[in-house]
Amino acid sequence: MKLLHRTRRPFWIYAAVVMVLSVPAYYLVLERQWLADIDEDLTVQKEKLEHGLNARRLSDVELDSAVVRLNALDIGVQLAQGERSMPDHYATVTRPDAFHGHDEPFRTYTSTIHVNGRTYAITVSRVIEETEELITGIALIATITLLLLFGGVLLLDRMSAQRIWAPFHSMLARLKRFQVDDAEPFRAAATGVNEFDELEREMEQLTARNMAMYVEQRRFTENAAHELRTPIALLQGKLERLFQSKDLTQEQATLLEEASTVLGRMHRSHEGLLLLARLENGTAPRSGTSDPYAIVRIALEQADDRIRELGLSVSVERVPDMTWRLDPAMAEILLVNLVGNAIRHNVPGGRIDVRITPSSFAIANTGAEAGLDPAHLFKRFAGSGKGLGLGLAIAQRVCERQGCTLNYAFEAPLHVFRVTLRG
Amino acid sequence: MNLLIVEDERSLADDIRAYLEGPDTRCHIAATVRDALDLVLDKEFDCVILDLNLPDGNGLSVLRELKKQGRKDGVVIVSAKDALDDRIEGLRIGADDYIVKPFHLAELAVRVQATVRRALFNGQDLLYFDELEMDLPAHTAKVNGIQLALTPTEFQLLRLLTASKDRVLPRAVIAEHLAEDADHDRAQELVYAHVNNLKRKLADVGYVDRIHTVYGVGYRFSTT
């Protein structure tokens, strides 16, 4: 989840709750207020009428005639002579209205007045349709106002967020481009925001330290390579010159050959360790595409003699015409090591099954009759003595550097190594 | 053939000279960039064997000078550095080959010979050893005009043997050159098998007694 969404979510929830609660509350409060006003009006009207009728000091006949005329006028006041007082009562009713010709909502006030010592039941009423429309209109305006307010705030928030986060996105883009072995260092940019400026400065220092460390390590590896390679070259030259001696005895020749073999092994161990050191200090995986089938085919061709000598049957199953998104040099180191391993530890008359797909590689070979300990298998110099014991360590390191996984399983009688490419 | 060995390790330079020098090959040695520049400006070489780490600078400056002057001398870089950048830089400036220390002298002999012949014959390169005719670019060999049916490995082997004519090639060196798994205990037996096959194919067309077994050591190729 984006940080922005994370900070906005409570705001959204709060806004929604306020909207949902406030609009009905608004409506209810308004309506109540309006009704109270109307009720007050009706009460005043009643009192005015009572006061007016009593003030005129009408005779009973005049009063009866006035009541009949008042009722006939139908101006929202109805009087009916009764025996006893009625309790005050307010109500909202819908009834036919002679003037409009159809049903209308009315607010009515039923009460009792006393004129000339007589008791009258009085009903004062008023059409309230327009009032309801007004309340609905006001509630609608309130809703629209709220929506505009929240919408506007969100829009402004989004715009300012984009501006505020721009330095962050710029830094992220520059960090992604940064490579420790690149000539181009990460440079801090002035953002005008204290927090980001500090982060930029720290990032610059961190990457600078990283680059310095990388250069130092590479120099060390190169020195180590040079310092050991030159003496090995010297020793090798001497041995080869000794081989040319005319009068070598059998014993001397055997000793020389053994010395030469040991030197060769030392050379290859050194190269393997150097490669491992480089993979460990290595830079971010470089992109590129590789053709795994081509690499496997060449590796098998180069080992053709050994395959024939052991009488191995080799099968390669593959998805045709596909490449891997994997650095070609790394892919070669990985696959050549795995193929070499499958041949080296094979048995006469055995087999090798290779399966290549766009996202995986599997190589299965016959060999030792029991499974091997995976915890031990990928360690340096853990070999069975048939090789240097660095091949699998290198293969696994390549996988780690390239974000792939390398697994081992014993599926009798086959030893299976599986590479799964990063997604 | 005139070779220049630019190498500050005197002892290694001597070994290279001892291995490559013969009746028709002369070797000069320079231990510094300055000496090397003096020598290359004085005379032309068929091939310069160039170390990069020299006491007074980078060997690449010798290569640059040669290219600036439009010289055609072959250049094989020999370096203990195998960083990809160095290799690319060397080949970009115009080196013919790049070989990483430590190397077998026999391997160097093959590379130097290939470089010299590429420059001299411009792709039309035939080598003769008595009745044996080797076409290096085409990877084929004939004896008395009869084409030999050699596997790529056998041709490579013949190439190595002839490049180190009259010198003993230890079996381990052959194994490594043929890109065999040198740490495999059977590697040397495979070399034995390859050499025997090659000998048999040569004998079939009457080319005998050229590859000699040096007992307990390896093999030596020589002409009559």
Side-chain angles (χ1 to χ4, degrees), chain A residues 68-346:
Chain A
V68 170
R69 267 180 287 151
L70 198 62
N71 285 346
L73 274 174
D74 190 21
I75 50 165
V77 180
Q78 294 290 325
L79 289 169
Q81 195 170 356
E83 292 302 316
R84 49 190 175 86
S85 296
M86 301 277 283
D88 283 7
H89 176 66
Y90 298 95
T92 303
V93 296
T94 304
R95 59 176 164 80
D97 181 41
F99 181 74
H100 286 101
H102 54 81
D103 284 2
E104 286 285 349
F106 284 88
R107 185 68 177 173
T108 61
Y109 171 45
T110 317
S111 185
T112 314
I113 55 171
H114 303 280
V115 185
N116 293 359
R118 292 188 199 166
T119 302
Y120 286 94
I122 181 171
T123 306
V124 193
S125 58
R126 183 191 288 180
V127 177
I128 55 168
E129 192 191 29
E130 286 81 8
T131 320
E132 279 187 343
E133 277 168 7
L134 194 63
I135 290 172
T136 314
I138 289 172
L140 200 66
I141 288 171
T143 312
I144 291 170
T145 311
L146 275 174
L147 280 176
L148 278 176
L149 185 68
F150 289 145
V153 166
L154 265 179
L155 203 69
L156 287 173
D157 173 53
R158 178 166 298 201
M159 275 158 60
S160 74
Q162 263 170 11
R163 216 177 46 243
I164 284 173
W165 284 99
F168 173 78
H169 288 300
S170 135
M171 182 164 67
L172 200 63
R174 276 176 293 137
L175 268 183
K176 278 181 182 164
R177 275 200 307 276
F178 173 76
Q179 295 231 317
V180 74
D181 61 338
D182 224 347
E184 193 59 40
F186 178 91
R187 292 199 194 289
T191 62
V193 179
N194 292 349
E195 289 87 345
F196 282 129
D197 279 344
E198 198 179 339
L199 191 59
E200 289 269 0
R201 278 195 303 277
E202 284 301 317
M203 238 6 138
E204 189 181 65
Q205 283 171 16
L206 185 70
T207 49
R209 274 200 299 275
N210 249 320
M211 280 171 88
M213 216 139 78
Y214 172 74
V215 167
E216 192 53 46
Q217 266 169 349
R218 197 173 60 180
R219 198 174 295 146
F220 174 81
T221 316
E222 272 166 16
N223 283 346
H226 183 257
E227 292 313 321
L228 209 60
R229 271 181 184 148
T230 304
I232 292 175
L234 283 170
L235 211 51
Q236 205 155 279
K238 304 297 165 212
L239 286 177
E240 273 178 73
R241 275 178 78 182
L242 265 179
F243 272 123
Q244 310 305 327
S245 310
K246 291 275 181 288
D247 42 8
L248 272 184
T249 66
Q250 178 61 46
E251 193 191 0
Q252 285 167 335
T254 310
L255 286 173
L256 262 182
E257 185 153 58
E258 279 170 12
S260 184
T261 306
V262 170
L263 190 62
R265 160 163 259 146
M266 176 169 160
H267 169 206
R268 283 184 296 278
S269 288
H270 178 233
E271 296 300 323
L273 286 171
L274 269 182
L275 179 60
L276 267 174
R278 272 195 202 132
L279 287 171
E280 252 147 60
N281 304 337
T283 54
R286 288 170 195 282
S287 54
T289 55
S290 44
D291 180 349
Y293 178 61
I295 296 169
V296 168
R297 202 186 55 221
I298 291 168
L300 287 170
E301 268 168 25
Q302 282 191 345
D304 190 43
D305 298 323
R306 267 173 297 146
I307 291 171
R308 242 181 303 145
E309 197 213 3
L310 282 169
L312 303 178
S313 61
V314 179
S315 75
V316 179
E317 188 189 320
R318 69 188 169 112
V319 175
D321 299 325
M322 55 106 205
T323 53
W324 281 353
R325 289 186 56 78
L326 193 67
D327 179 83
M330 292 293 121
E332 188 176 339
I333 293 170
L334 174 64
L335 298 185
V336 165
N337 267 310
L338 289 178
V339 170
N341 188 65
I343 297 169
R344 187 177 306 133
H345 298 287
N346 225 310

Side-chain angles (χ1 to χ4, degrees), chain A residues 233 236-237 240, chain B residues 12 16 78 99-105 107-108:
Chain A
Q236 205 155 279
E240 273 178 73
Chain B
L12 185 61
I16 296 172
V78 166
I99 178 167
V100 179
K101 285 181 189 173
F103 50 86
H104 289 294
L105 294 172
E107 182 72 36
L108 180 65

Side-chain angles (χ1 to χ4, degrees), chain A residues 44-54 70 77 79 113 115 122:
Chain A
V44 168
Q45 211 177 332
K46 178 209 93 172
E47 278 163 5
K48 267 184 173 171
L49 190 69
E50 186 176 23
H51 180 75
L53 287 175
N54 279 321
L70 198 62
V77 180
L79 289 169
I113 55 171
V115 185
I122 181 171

Side-chain angles (χ1 to χ4, degrees), chain B residues 70-221:
Chain B
R71 293 268 294 266
K72 296 273 185 276
D73 311 45
V75 174
V76 173
I77 292 175
V78 166
S79 174
K81 288 202 247 173
D82 70 344
L84 198 59
D85 294 344
D86 295 318
R87 197 179 284 235
I88 290 170
E89 180 67 2
L91 296 177
R92 193 185 61 77
I93 299 177
D96 296 276
D97 210 341
Y98 192 110
I99 178 167
V100 179
K101 285 181 189 173
F103 50 86
H104 289 294
L105 294 172
E107 182 72 36
L108 180 65
V110 171
R111 308 275 192 115
V112 167
Q113 190 193 53
T115 299
V116 169
R117 302 198 70 85
R118 204 157 41 222
L120 284 180
F121 299 96
N122 202 16
Q124 282 293 314
D125 189 4
L126 297 177
L127 271 169
Y128 293 96
F129 300 94
D130 298 337
E131 304 89 359
L132 173 68
E133 177 192 306
M134 292 179 75
D135 185 338
L136 297 188
H139 287 248
T140 55
K142 289 177 185 169
V143 171
N144 290 324
I146 305 166
Q147 187 90 35
L148 292 169
L150 298 181
T151 65
T153 311
E154 285 159 3
F155 184 83
Q156 256 186 299
L157 175 61
L158 187 59
R159 190 69 222 291
L160 184 73
L161 285 163
T162 53
S164 285
K165 189 161 81 81
D166 297 325
R167 287 168 187 84
V168 179
L169 276 176
R171 279 180 297 226
V173 175
I174 299 177
E176 256 177 70
H177 180 77
L178 298 183
E180 292 291 357
D181 188 351
D183 288 306
H184 198 274
D185 42 10
R186 311 266 303 147
Q188 307 224 334
E189 284 169 51
L190 281 171
V191 169
Y192 175 78
H194 285 309
V195 172
N196 270 4
N197 286 342
L198 179 61
K199 271 178 158 178
R200 188 174 43 74
K201 286 183 183 176
L202 290 171
D204 283 350
V205 289
Y207 195 73
V208 291
D209 288 336
R210 295 331 200 279
I211 302 173
H212 308 279
T213 305
V214 182
Y215 201 74
V217 181
Y219 303 92
R220 187 182 63 233
F221 176 85

